[in-house]
Amino acid sequence: MNRALIHRRAQRLLPAGIETCGLLHFGLAPGQVERALLGSVFAGGQAQGVVALRLSLSTALAIRRKGLRYFESGDWVYSAFAEAHLSDVGGFACGAEGLGALPTTHGAGYSAVAQDGRSWFVVLPVERLVVYGWWE
């Protein structure tokens, strides 16, 4: 799968108001490729992973202006934080090493967890960063 296709698919998973302009990183936790392949063959196993996307400038500015009011509830439960490590937000099971060279400490941001508990994302408007993660 190429980067443009991964970006388009990841963008579709995010709520409508969160526009991104590129893929920064895509990865699975260590051993996830093997488990995903075995799971598809034997109808079991759990897949998890993360996608880091570049938040569009217009979306970043709008979020900074409106704060938590920018987000609609829908199928997501949102919260705000003043400062965090990505490993502390949204049940980020892969930890910092799952994001490679991306910085792991950030200022104010917003996190959301899907109501079904199978996915989450973090929006860091100052850094123009969205990290989307999933478990299945």
Side-chain angles (χ1 to χ4, degrees):
M1 219 183 282
N2 68 35
R3 294 178 65 81
L5 183 57
I6 293 170
H7 174 239
R8 281 194 303 273
R9 287 186 176 184
Q11 177 65 60
R12 285 190 293 229
L13 297 172
L14 294 169
I18 301 173
E19 293 297 323
T20 62
C21 58
L23 177 69
L24 296 173
H25 180 78
F26 173 75
L28 297 171
Q32 281 304 122
V33 172
E34 295 85 352
R35 285 193 293 273
L37 289 172
L38 289 173
S40 67
V41 172
F42 297 108
Q46 283 198 297
Q48 70 182 40
V50 294
V51 177
L53 304 162
R54 173 65 61 204
L55 188 63
S56 74
L57 180 58
S58 61
T59 302
L61 292 173
I63 292 171
R64 290 181 68 188
R65 215 173 24 256
K66 294 181 181 179
L68 194 56
R69 293 182 325 235
Y70 180 84
F71 302 96
E72 298 176 12
S73 57
D75 295 332
W76 298 90
V77 178
Y78 292 93
S79 60
F81 55 87
E83 183 175 324
H85 291 15
L86 286 179
S87 60
D88 298 334
V89 180
F92 188 53
C94 297
E97 67 278 1
L99 286 177
L102 295 176
T104 59
T105 302
H106 299 280
Y110 305 90
S111 64
V113 177
Q115 288 183 359
D116 66 6
R118 295 175 58 188
S119 58
W120 57 269
F121 68 90
V122 175
V123 176
L124 303 165
V126 172
E127 292 84 1
R128 292 185 54 205
L129 179 66
V130 177
V131 178
Y132 178 89
W134 68 91
W135 316 241
E136 289 187 23

